[in-house]
Amino acid sequence: MAYFIAIYTLASYCTNALGLTQQQGGAVQSILAAGQIIGRPFWGYLLDRGGRTNMVMLSYIISGVVTLAIWMPGRSFGLMAFFGLICGATSGTIHAACTPLTASVVGVPDLASALAIYWLSLAIPNAMGQAFAIMLVDYSRNHLHRTGPDAYAISIGFCGGLFLAGALVLMGVKRYLQGDWKILKKS
């Protein structure tokens, strides 16, 4: 859900909250997409070197931290472009890693069924993520009377929290796969 909130809310934040032009908002969105082009192969390499679970957790921690530390206080085109690059490079790692990670958990014979359940379980949160983010922005504007970037604070905080919660959930997967809580152990 956080991945889709970041992808679909960032350009709106740039234009509606910061007052940037449509071209600048589109440029930030394009930089986020370029970050994915760079990040997916980079994280694929790291998944092989540092362990699938470790690296997906790390990518989600980075995504959560930059969302809260850069996007939330960000008020300029340059900072939003930097956020777009980092978030694009880190936030979609789970989509590249889901098949090998799922195979590690359930084994190859049950992989097709497990992936079907995985993708089905993501359908509703992913479809509702952006709508929920818009609802939070509307709540901030209409009930809390926030304007500009402050109207997006709850939505951005929710997005960053979801990234960090995803990393936390993967700690359980890591525990299941390796049988202990050692963080740096490759699983």
Side-chain angles (χ1 to χ4, degrees):
M1 187 183 273
Y3 173 72
F4 286 102
I5 290 172
I7 286 176
Y8 295 121
T9 304
L10 185 57
S12 169
Y13 174 79
C14 289
T15 56
N16 294 332
L18 299 181
L20 300 176
T21 66
Q22 291 288 328
Q23 290 80 13
Q24 289 173 315
V28 170
Q29 189 71 32
S30 297
I31 291 167
L32 190 139
Q36 291 179 351
I37 292 170
I38 296 165
R40 297 278 173 104
F42 173 73
W43 283 101
Y45 173 76
L46 291 179
L47 290 168
D48 292 339
R49 299 298 246 164
R52 295 174 188 121
T53 314
N54 291 341
M55 293 300 107
V56 175
M57 285 185 337
L58 178 61
S59 74
Y60 268 38
I61 290 168
I62 292 169
S63 295
V65 168
V66 298
T67 298
L68 298 173
I70 297 175
W71 187 9
M72 189 175 282
R75 301 291 189 264
S76 69
F77 172 75
L79 204 52
M80 291 298 93
F82 179 68
F83 168 76
L85 181 66
I86 301 300
C87 186
T90 58
S91 64
T93 305
I94 191 65
H95 298 299
C98 70
T99 301
L101 193 56
T102 303
S104 297
V105 174
V106 301
V108 174
D110 295 325
L111 181 60
S113 298
L115 284 175
I117 293 168
Y118 171 76
W119 290 114
L120 186 61
S121 71
L122 288 180
I124 293 173
N126 289 342
M128 293 176 55
Q130 179 58 19
F132 196 69
I134 291 169
M135 182 187 74
L136 290 173
V137 171
D138 286 343
Y139 177 81
S140 289
R141 285 181 179 151
N142 299 330
H143 296 287
L144 302 177
H145 307 293
R146 294 180 178 177
T147 59
D150 293 335
Y152 284 79
I154 296 172
S155 182
I156 295 168
F158 180 67
C159 180
L162 285 173
F163 279 127
L164 295 174
L168 189 63
V169 168
L170 283 169
M171 284 293 293
V173 172
K174 184 169 179 57
R175 167 74 168 97
Y176 173 78
L177 289 174
Q178 68 189 31
D180 58 36
W181 292 102
K182 294 181 181 174
I183 294 177
L184 297 178
K185 185 176 178 182
K186 185 177 174 180
S187 60

